[in-house]
Amino acid sequence: RLKKMNIMTASFETNDLKEGDEGVVNAQDDNGMSIKQWMADKKIKLMNETWQKLAEHGFHSIDDLTSLPVNQIMDCLKNELHIKTADRLKLQQALNMLADKKNFIDPEEVVMFQSMQSTLDKLQNEVNGLKLKQSKIAEHKNKTQRMIDEEFAKLIASLNKRKTMLSQQLNAIAMRKNAEIEQEMSKTENVIDDARKMYDATNALLNTAISLDELKVRKSQIAQYQTEMKQAMKMKQENAMQINERIVGVFETQSLVQRIHEIGRIYDVATPLLTDLRCENGSVNVAWHTQN
């Protein structure tokens, strides 16, 4: 920011001030000479837009223009009135002349200053462009992360579905085997009931006192019980179901796990940089390399 500078000449290119143009201040203020009259006497010209802004913000007389320190006035002209650089420099020339300053600004210095401002604008635009790239990177990152989450959610859902299916198959096999065992146990318990009755009957016979003449009859009865029990046992064994209690699960997951370890790809997009361009014998030769 240029502060407290005096301008030797008013040779900047501006629109000529014309009587009757909208926004031109041409009334004599009660507290002193009007700004327009004083500037006209000093051959300093301002753009119509500048005159209009001065009038709208209450700058009519020289007293209005010199009521505050020069640096405050210049800050106001730049930040509140947004007066263009060339006219701000002319107004600073006027303020410095009023303050009887001896500092001067050459027109070439103004050109250099404006060139510096242009350079600053280009640098700021470059920073803004880099910030925009950061924003785009964040957008692509979030989009890709959502894709990763969605794809792995599908894999997890598929694995859970397969897990549920295998568990159902396992439970069905176990239930069938248990049902067969229950059926076999029921048959065996029926045989046990019949055998226990014959055993108890034999026990009762043996604990009953008899005469020698009755011994042959009791012995024959006990032999019959024994034969029936053996026949029942034989039939039971012949008709028994062969139940294998083993249940085997087979998984060939090594290749699948390896494939999962390699699933998907995340990669950087290379930026092609042109290094050479030549036209030879009617053909175009292009040389370039990539930069991540």
Side-chain angles (χ1 to χ4, degrees), residues 114-140:
Q114 292 175 336
S115 175
M116 293 169 64
Q117 181 65 51
S118 176
T119 300
L120 284 175
D121 291 341
K122 291 178 181 179
L123 290 172
Q124 187 60 52
N125 289 337
E126 184 174 341
V127 170
N128 294 338
L130 292 173
K131 289 181 178 180
L132 180 60
K133 287 182 180 292
Q134 283 185 321
S135 176
K136 293 294 184 182
I137 290 172
E139 290 180 6
H140 286 291

Side-chain angles (χ1 to χ4, degrees), residues 188-204 225 229:
T188 303
E189 287 174 353
N190 291 334
V191 173
I192 290 174
D193 289 342
D194 293 338
R196 187 171 297 281
K197 290 177 182 180
M198 289 183 283
Y199 173 82
D200 291 341
T202 300
N203 185 49
Y225 287 155
M229 287 182 65

Side-chain angles (χ1 to χ4, degrees), residues 249-262:
V250 178
F251 288 88
E252 298 176 355
T253 58
Q254 184 175 358
S255 60
L256 178 60
V257 171
Q258 181 63 31
R259 182 69 184 93
I260 290 176
H261 287 168
E262 300 172 355

Side-chain angles (χ1 to χ4, degrees), residues 24-90:
V24 174
V25 179
N26 56 14
Q28 182 75 19
D29 190 85
D30 293 339
N31 296 326
M33 182 182 294
S34 70
I35 299 174
K36 177 220 168 179
Q37 181 180 346
W38 191 91
M39 299 284 277
D41 290 345
K42 301 300 181 181
K43 308 299 183 182
I44 301 175
K45 299 179 181 180
L46 299 178
M47 291 183 288
N48 292 338
E49 177 185 353
T50 301
W51 284 113
Q52 183 176 358
K53 289 181 178 180
L54 288 172
E56 290 175 352
H57 288 80
F59 290 98
H60 301 288
S61 68
I62 294 299
D63 289 342
D64 294 333
L65 200 59
T66 58
S67 59
L68 295 172
V70 174
N71 61 338
Q72 293 185 18
I73 291 293
M74 295 309 300
D75 285 342
C76 177
L77 295 177
K78 178 181 178 180
N79 298 321
E80 296 185 23
L81 276 67
H82 304 292
I83 291 177
K84 294 182 179 179
T85 302
D87 276 8
R88 286 205 316 273
L89 293 174
K90 294 178 184 179

Side-chain angles (χ1 to χ4, degrees), residues 174-190 236 241 243:
M175 289 177 63
R176 177 178 56 78
K177 287 180 176 290
N178 285 326
E180 291 173 352
I181 290 175
E182 291 289 339
Q183 183 179 357
E184 193 64 22
M185 286 175 59
S186 178
K187 292 179 180 178
T188 303
E189 287 174 353
N190 291 334
K236 168 68 179 64
M241 289 187 295
I243 302 173

